[in-house]
Amino acid sequence: MEASNFLFGELENNLLINVALRTVVMFFIILIFLRILGKRGVKQLSVFELVVILGLGSAAGDPMLYMEIGIINALIAFAVLVICYKIFTLLIFKYQRLENFFEGKPVYIIKKGTFALNDFKKETLSKDEFFMELRLQGVFHLGQVEYAILETSGEVSVYFFDKAELQYGLPILPQYIEQIVTNFEIGTRYSCLFCGETIAFQNQTSPTCPRCQKSEWIAASNRSHQA
């Protein structure tokens, strides 16, 4: 195989120029149609909006590379996708059940410093990913968090306790999570590693968590997020 064929394929110079021009045209067409769809960040995209974006990308890619596919073909595909998007947006605005099915609903992950176990189990977000989101918002331990809500966009909204209401809770920094306690001190507070339940131990043996029936504990913290 010749080096030129490996790098450029079988396209002649004039066809390469054609590819470059088509790419420039499709680039501006994509920008225009994305502007029509509205200003939203990638993390804010719903499932349907992500499908539309992928569809636009697929429709734009073929005319850039395949000479037998005209730009008008891509424009028709773009127009159909945008019309479908606008109709769908009107429908989900009118019908709440349709919106809940496609967009999902906000879900409480943390309530009063502990995991809302039933809701958290339904989500695909792993505990490590969730802890990362909390750390990005300055959370040191779950006792600081009155509520944490997983929004439909995939972002996590965090509502802190007032400083006067700060509780002991499960530390979520990596080095603390790894420090599973085997020797317990009476009267010291420990947090369940699975659900965040925090209790003051009354004896030196490891009890079963009353909320989740697990038995892995780490030392609880009451550090303020303002510290």
Side-chain angles (χ1 to χ4, degrees):
M1 179 182 295
E2 296 180 1
S4 59
N5 285 344
F6 179 77
L7 293 175
F8 301 106
E10 299 180 356
L11 293 179
E12 298 176 358
N13 290 338
N14 62 329
L15 292 179
L16 291 174
I17 295 173
N18 199 346
V19 168
L21 292 174
R22 282 167 170 256
T23 302
V24 171
V25 171
M26 294 310 302
F27 172 77
F28 284 104
I29 291 175
I30 292 171
L31 287 180
I32 292 170
F33 274 86
L34 288 179
R35 181 66 183 87
I36 293 172
L37 293 179
K39 296 179 180 179
R40 301 189 74 176
V42 172
K43 202 168 184 179
Q44 296 174 303
L45 294 177
S46 66
V47 173
F48 184 73
E49 288 167 334
L50 186 58
V51 169
V52 172
I53 297 299
L54 291 174
L56 291 177
S58 179
D62 289 344
M64 294 180 188
L65 298 176
Y66 301 110
M67 300 300 105
E68 64 272 18
I69 299 177
I71 291 178
I72 294 298
N73 297 24
L75 287 174
I76 292 173
F78 277 29
V80 172
L81 283 169
V82 171
I83 290 170
C84 288
Y85 173 75
K86 294 298 184 181
I87 293 174
F88 181 81
T89 302
L90 291 173
L91 288 175
I92 63 173
F93 181 78
K94 186 175 181 180
Y95 299 103
Q96 185 66 42
R97 288 185 179 180
L98 193 64
E99 181 179 6
N100 292 342
F101 179 78
F102 285 101
E103 303 281 355
K105 295 187 294 185
V107 175
Y108 282 90
I109 303 296
I110 298 293
K111 290 182 179 180
K112 304 293 184 179
T114 60
F115 278 100
L117 292 176
N118 292 335
D119 291 332
F120 188 77
K121 289 177 182 177
K122 298 174 184 177
E123 300 303 316
T124 57
L125 184 71
S126 72
K127 188 175 287 187
D128 287 341
E129 290 176 307
F130 180 64
F131 284 167
M132 179 188 70
E133 293 287 346
L134 293 182
R135 289 194 294 266
L136 289 173
Q137 300 198 44
V139 176
F140 184 87
H141 63 88
L142 297 189
Q144 301 168 253
V145 181
E146 184 172 11
Y147 297 107
I149 302 171
L150 180 62
E151 306 291 356
T152 57
S153 64
E155 295 179 296
V156 176
S157 299
V158 179
Y159 297 87
F160 291 95
F161 281 111
D162 291 336
K163 193 170 184 178
E165 299 176 316
L166 191 70
Q167 305 177 5
Y168 278 86
L170 173 70
I172 62 172
L173 270 64
Q175 66 267 32
Y176 289 92
I177 295 173
E178 296 172 358
Q179 296 177 5
I180 298 175
V181 177
T182 55
N183 296 317
F184 302 91
E185 296 180 6
I186 296 175
T188 300
R189 290 179 173 84
Y190 298 92
S191 296
C192 173
L193 189 57
F194 185 79
C195 72
E197 181 74 6
T198 299
I199 60 177
F201 277 31
Q202 301 304 316
N203 54 62
Q204 293 180 319
T205 59
S206 175
T208 300
C209 177
R211 290 188 74 232
C212 67
Q213 286 70 56
K214 305 292 183 180
S215 57
E216 288 187 328
W217 302 85
I218 63 175
S221 173
N222 69 338
R223 171 179 168 175
S224 169
H225 66 278
Q226 298 175 345

